[in-house]
Amino acid sequence: MKNELLAFLKRLLPFSILLWLIQFLLQQYVFEIEFYYSSFSIYLFHFLATFLIYLSLVVVYKNFTDKTGFAFIGLSLFKMVAAVIFLLPLVLSEVNAVFVNILAFFIPYFLFLVFETLYAVKLINKA
């Protein structure tokens, strides 16, 4: 289990840093809007959510191999709810560019979702 998590982290960390750097540079030098959330807080949310989902999937895989796919679906639903709760202060605020701020969150959300889906499928196919 430890080796699987380390291998996953070796891919997740550079992926997260690269995406964060791209978004940070775009927010600082291309877009001239004040964003509600910093790019660091957005990527910290995505990194932690992705890592915790994969950690949970590995635990489920070790104990209940045939339930790993269901666990992934349930954890993805939980991540969606967590994303809505994370964005709730933004939506309820008086910020002018709500759509751009939501895009700044959901573009990385879907990139991280693709990343974790690829690793979940790889884990499920090991069975």
Side-chain angles (χ1 to χ4, degrees):
M1 182 166 119
K2 195 177 206 181
N3 292 336
E4 290 172 356
L5 290 176
L6 284 175
F8 180 72
L9 272 177
K10 285 181 185 177
R11 303 272 195 233
L12 179 62
L13 198 57
F15 177 77
S16 301
I17 291 171
L18 178 66
L19 288 179
W20 170 76
L21 187 61
I22 291 169
Q23 184 166 343
F24 177 77
L25 292 174
L26 284 173
Q27 284 182 349
Q28 292 295 316
Y29 300 109
V30 176
F31 300 114
E32 296 181 7
I33 332 172
E34 183 69 29
F35 285 90
Y36 189 81
Y37 289 113
S38 69
S39 57
F40 180 76
S41 63
I42 291 171
Y43 280 88
L44 183 63
F45 172 85
H46 290 310
F47 178 83
L48 290 175
T50 301
F51 180 71
L52 291 174
I53 286 175
Y54 190 75
L55 174 67
S56 302
L57 288 178
V58 169
V59 170
V60 169
Y61 179 80
K62 294 294 181 191
N63 296 311
F64 310 101
T65 305
D66 58 327
K67 305 294 185 216
T68 309
F70 294 116
F72 177 68
I73 292 170
L75 290 167
S76 295
L77 180 63
F78 181 72
K79 182 180 174 182
M80 284 184 227
V81 171
V84 169
I85 291 170
F86 182 82
L87 289 174
L88 201 55
L90 165 67
V91 174
L92 297 176
S93 72
E94 303 280 329
V95 175
N96 291 334
V98 173
F99 183 73
V100 174
N101 278 282
I102 289 176
L103 274 180
F105 179 84
F106 274 108
I107 290 172
Y109 177 90
F110 288 115
L111 293 172
F112 275 87
L113 182 63
V114 168
F115 184 85
E116 72 188 39
T117 302
L118 291 174
Y119 275 88
V121 168
K122 189 186 290 189
L123 184 68
I124 292 169
N125 284 337
K126 278 195 335 186

